[in-house]
């Protein structure tokens, strides 16, 4: 059975696209045939992070409008043969995404793919609603700060009331919390919320904690999803996240403040 | 205050019911005489209700029947199970028309249901329990609203708004296992977060009305 996974948040800039790219790549590297779809019509980001922006010819909206077929629009990843990207259009507006159109494309993709990752735009408008509507699983991407947590709570309400599964009274969407840009030091001083704080407020299962990391910016500048960088803390944390998504029990890492070495303690860092 | 001179109280009594099974007063009278001869003490002075279900189809003069029974020292207080015509006659000669306990509709208590929400109420969601109490098994998040005409019980944290007694019921209360609300209100009297914070109740608490001011009490753990 194909699983449709939406990466969503409500609030903008929390790391949805970074996470969509990393998780899609991680699933594909584990041998699962995966496609990642950019629902952020008009902005187009995912193709940059995936490093395939130069190969975009047709996009999601072209397929919905019947101007191109899926095979023409899907971009095969350079590194991983199991991975495909369906890019967003830069020229259309969000209303191009209709329930029928999106549903049809997802149905077609489900014939070929095990995982369909939907990279949601920020907000609670049409694009975000379409990204979550057909989902089986939601990865609620949240930063450890009050406004992000509140928007995530809002999105959880939408998942429970405005999704296909809610409307048709099916088993509810499986909801997971992905805490991104986490800084243990700042959580400790109370500058940011801690893992426990966020878990308590949102009360959904924690899928992973991704530390705030230089590696993310480096990765997106070079068009390589950060999960490929297995030297980096963020890359490893995304790998763990994918393991948990696949049902494995992996302990959390990078949630305690790094112990400074003797020299660092004396001279500062 | 002195005791009022008149008081109305509902009390129930058990009455004997005399079933009139024949439309002819003569027949009834004769048969009754025999019965009374067997057990005169039993009937004497006892209030009786007449059940007329068997003679509902017949014409009978209730006043005459009443007179006949009174002559035998029976005290008739009312009739039951009569059709409309017989009931009207009965009323005209000062008899009560009563319904037996089984037929009488149960006294209607003001109806108050309980609405149960088995999950968290999320930011942006609003739940209204019309004419009922509201029980939330989860938390009520910041930016979420729960409203009930009755009381509200929240088994998780209350971080959003809760309005009990929305229909004006002063006796409604709000209970939450963590009282960190943006607003609580009972029958229109409300407090905002700042006011609530003075009470330092982060733990289990109960909000209710005392007179027309709100009162917050912490509950035992
Ligand atoms: N773990 C991290 N550490 C450091 N920077 C991060 C991390 N995750 C994301 N970022 C940075 O945050 C910014 C926003 O990330 P991203 O584009 O993935 O968010 P988004 O939720 O998709 O945003 P939008 O709502 O605009 O679609 C980017 O500059 C990205 O490099
Ligand atoms: Mg994005």
């Amino acid at each position: 059975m194909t699983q449709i996974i939406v990466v969503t948040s409500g609030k903008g800039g929390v790391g949805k696209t970074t996470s969509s790219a990393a998780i899609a790549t991680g699933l594909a590297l584990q041998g699962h045939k995966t496609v990642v779809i950019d629902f952020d019509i008009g902005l187009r980001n995912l193709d940059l992070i995936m490093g395939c922006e130069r190969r975009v010819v047709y996009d999601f909206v072209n397929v919905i409008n019947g101007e191109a077929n899926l095979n023409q629009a899907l971009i095969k990843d350079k590194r991983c043969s199991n991975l495909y990207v369906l890019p967003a259009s830069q020229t259309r507006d969000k209303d191009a995404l209709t329930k029928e159109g999106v549903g049809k494309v997802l149905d077609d993709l489900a014939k070929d793919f095990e995982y369909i990752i939907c990279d949601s735009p920020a907000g609670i408008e049409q694009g975000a609603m379409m990204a979550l509507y057909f989902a089986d699983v939601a990865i609620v991407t949240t930063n450890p700060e009050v406004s992000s947590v509140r928007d995530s709570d809002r999105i959880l309400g939408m998942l429970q009331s405005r999704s296909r599964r809610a409307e048709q009274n099916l088993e509810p969407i499986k909801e997971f919390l992905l805490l991104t840009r986490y800084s243990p030091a700042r959580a400790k001083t109370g500058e940011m919320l801690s893992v426990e704080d966020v878990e308590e407020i949102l009360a959904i299962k924690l899928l992973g904690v991704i530390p705030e990391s230089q590696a993310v910016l480096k990765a997106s500048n070079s068009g390589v999803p950060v999960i490929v960088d297995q030297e980096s803390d963020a890359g490893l944390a995304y790998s763990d996240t994918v393991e948990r998504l696949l049902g494995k029990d992996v302990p959390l890492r990078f949630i305690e403040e790094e112990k400074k070495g003797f020299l660092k303690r004396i001279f500062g860092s | 205050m002195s005791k009022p001179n008149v008081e109305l109280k509902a009390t129930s009594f058990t009455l004997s019911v005399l079933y009139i099974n024949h439309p002819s007063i003569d027949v009834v009278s004769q048969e009754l005489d025999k019965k009374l001869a067997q057990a005169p003490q039993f009937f004497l002075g006892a209030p009786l209700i007449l059940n007329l279900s068997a003679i509902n189809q017949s014409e009978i003069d209730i006043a005459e029947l009443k007179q006949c029974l009174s002559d035998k020292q029976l005290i008739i207080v009312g009739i039951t199970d009569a059709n409309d015509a017989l009931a009207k006659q009965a009323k005209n000669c000062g008899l009560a028309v009563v319904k037996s306990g089984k037929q009488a509709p149960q006294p209607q208590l003001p109806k108050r249901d309980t609405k149960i929400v088995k999950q968290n109420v999320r930011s942006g969601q609003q739940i209204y329990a019309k004419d009922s109490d509201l029980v939330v098994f989860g938390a009520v998040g910041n930016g979420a609203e729960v409203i009930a005409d009755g009381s509200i019980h929240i088994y998780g944290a209350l971080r959003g708004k809760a309005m009990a007694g929305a229909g004006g019921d002063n006796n409604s209360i709000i209970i939450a296992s963590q009282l960190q609300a943006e607003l609580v209100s009972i029958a229109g009297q409300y407090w905002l977060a700042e006011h609530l914070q003075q009470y330092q109740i982060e733990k289990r608490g109960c909000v209710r009305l005392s007179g027309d001011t709100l009162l917050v009490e912490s509950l035992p753990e």
Side-chain angles (χ1 to χ4, degrees):
Chain A
M1 263 303 275
T2 306
Q3 276 201 29
I4 302 178
I5 303 177
V6 62
V7 179
T8 180
S9 71
K11 192 170 159 63
V14 296
K16 293 180 292 297
T17 302
T18 305
S19 301
S20 299
I23 291 168
T25 305
L27 287 168
L29 288 171
Q30 296 250 10
H32 300 286
K33 195 166 181 197
T34 303
V35 56
V36 53
I37 307 178
D38 192 348
F39 275 77
D40 207 345
I41 307 301
L43 284 175
R44 233 179 93 179
N45 252 318
L46 181 67
D47 49 336
L48 285 169
I49 309 267
M50 295 293 294
C52 65
E53 74 278 9
R54 304 239 182 100
R55 293 193 286 145
V56 174
V57 181
Y58 293 109
D59 59 55
F60 192 15
V61 173
N62 291 139
V63 179
I64 288 177
N65 292 345
E67 294 149 4
N69 64 36
L70 259 178
N71 290 333
Q72 290 172 296
L74 284 172
I75 304 174
K76 188 170 176 173
D77 188 68
K78 288 184 293 238
R79 287 165 297 267
C80 187
S81 62
N82 284 326
L83 182 58
Y84 288 78
V85 178
L86 184 54
S89 163
Q90 262 179 318
T91 50
R92 313 299 178 100
D93 62 282
K94 296 182 176 58
D95 299 334
L97 297 179
T98 60
K99 210 177 266 182
E100 296 71 37
V102 173
K104 170 89 174 46
V105 173
L106 292 177
D107 275 350
D108 287 347
L109 288 170
K111 290 175 197 149
D112 268 344
F113 290 93
E114 270 181 84
Y115 289 97
I116 302 175
I117 313 294
C118 305
D119 177 20
S120 172
I124 50 173
E125 265 119 61
Q126 179 78 351
M129 285 313 172
M130 284 303 106
L132 69 76
Y133 186 77
F134 295 95
D136 304 307
V137 174
I139 298 179
V140 180
T141 313
T142 308
N143 289 165
E145 42 148 326
V146 172
S147 63
S148 174
V149 171
R150 193 174 295 193
D151 285 0
S152 292
D153 198 51
R154 185 92 201 266
I155 279 292
L156 284 163
M158 299 288 181
L159 291 167
Q160 287 160 11
S161 58
R162 305 271 297 274
S163 61
R164 179 184 70 99
R165 283 177 173 271
E167 282 179 8
Q168 299 177 3
N169 261 323
L170 305 171
E171 199 183 313
I173 295 178
K174 280 205 194 76
E175 304 155 337
F176 293 113
L177 169 63
L178 181 63
L179 195 55
T180 53
R181 310 199 67 163
Y182 191 68
S183 158
R186 297 177 76 187
K188 202 170 165 193
T189 60
E191 227 178 306
M192 292 197 136
L193 299 173
S194 69
V195 179
E196 295 76 34
D197 290 339
V198 181
E199 265 191 292
E200 199 211 305
I201 297 174
L202 292 180
I204 53 175
K205 199 168 179 314
L206 182 64
L207 187 66
V209 179
I210 313 299
E212 172 78 22
S213 165
Q214 298 285 320
V216 172
L217 191 61
K218 220 172 74 194
S220 57
N221 282 339
S222 52
V224 182
V226 69
I227 197 170
V228 175
D229 180 1
Q230 288 286 303
E231 305 277 285
S232 69
D233 48 0
L236 292 170
Y238 273 119
S239 294
D240 291 354
T241 301
V242 171
E243 296 282 354
R244 293 190 199 102
L245 192 58
L246 292 171
K248 274 166 227 148
D249 199 4
V250 188
L252 290 171
R253 290 194 262 184
F254 316 115
I255 56 168
E256 298 296 336
E257 211 176 342
E258 219 178 304
K259 296 216 171 55
K260 287 183 178 167
F262 176 69
L263 288 177
K264 270 193 179 167
R265 240 185 295 155
I266 292 179
F267 299 109
S269 55
Chain B
M1 226 207 302
S2 66
K3 208 169 155 63
N5 295 322
V6 207
E7 276 183 282
L8 194 59
K9 289 182 181 173
T11 313
S12 53
F13 297 93
T14 304
L15 293 177
S16 298
V17 178
L18 185 65
Y19 283 77
I20 308 294
N21 293 341
H22 198 284
S24 150
I25 293 179
D26 284 345
V27 174
V28 169
S29 175
Q30 278 171 25
E31 204 164 313
L32 203 54
D33 283 339
K34 279 189 219 155
K35 278 222 158 33
L36 288 174
Q38 284 165 9
Q41 305 311 322
F42 187 75
F43 285 101
L44 220 58
L48 284 179
I49 298 284
L50 304 182
N51 185 306
L52 304 183
S53 54
I55 54 167
N56 257 338
Q57 302 309 322
S58 335
E59 284 188 12
I60 183 166
D61 187 335
I62 299 289
E64 200 181 317
L65 177 64
K66 183 188 175 199
Q67 189 57 52
C68 159
L69 298 171
S70 301
D71 291 346
K72 302 184 200 300
Q73 309 296 311
L74 299 175
I75 301 170
I76 308 305
V77 295
I79 60 156
T80 188
D81 255 349
N83 65 19
D84 290 348
L86 292 180
K88 197 170 164 206
Q89 280 196 59
K91 274 185 200 154
N92 287 340
C93 53
L95 290 175
V97 178
V98 298
K99 283 186 176 165
S100 72
K102 265 173 273 151
Q103 293 169 298
Q106 289 294 314
Q108 285 281 313
L109 294 170
K111 197 158 166 272
R112 170 80 61 93
D113 276 340
T114 301
K115 183 183 174 98
I116 299 179
V117 175
K118 292 189 178 169
Q119 56 190 24
N120 293 326
V121 185
R122 303 286 184 180
S123 180
Q125 291 182 322
Q126 190 190 59
I127 301 226
Y128 173 39
K130 188 171 164 41
D131 297 331
S132 16
D133 292 335
L134 176 64
V135 177
V136 180
F137 288 172
V140 176
N142 282 110
E145 255 177 49
V146 288
I147 306 167
D149 286 332
S151 295
I152 300 177
H153 299 253
I154 300 164
Y155 285 82
L158 169 59
R159 302 192 183 92
K161 299 180 182 164
M163 289 161 245
D169 180 356
N170 290 326
N171 293 319
S172 304
I173 60 166
I174 298 171
I175 287 183
S177 58
Q178 280 177 51
L179 213 48
Q180 304 165 350
E182 290 167 343
L183 176 148
V184 289
S185 136
I186 291 181
Q189 299 290 331
Y190 69 90
W191 273 352
L192 292 169
E194 351 175 313
H195 202 143
L196 270 173
Q197 267 154 18
Q198 297 174 9
Y199 290 82
Q200 295 288 328
I201 298 184
E202 299 275 284
K203 295 275 154 50
R204 266 206 278 184
C206 170
V207 183
R208 58 185 175 85
L209 264 184
S210 161
D212 48 9
T213 45
L214 290 180
L215 193 77
V216 180
E217 293 163 313
S218 54
L219 296 179
E221 285 300 301

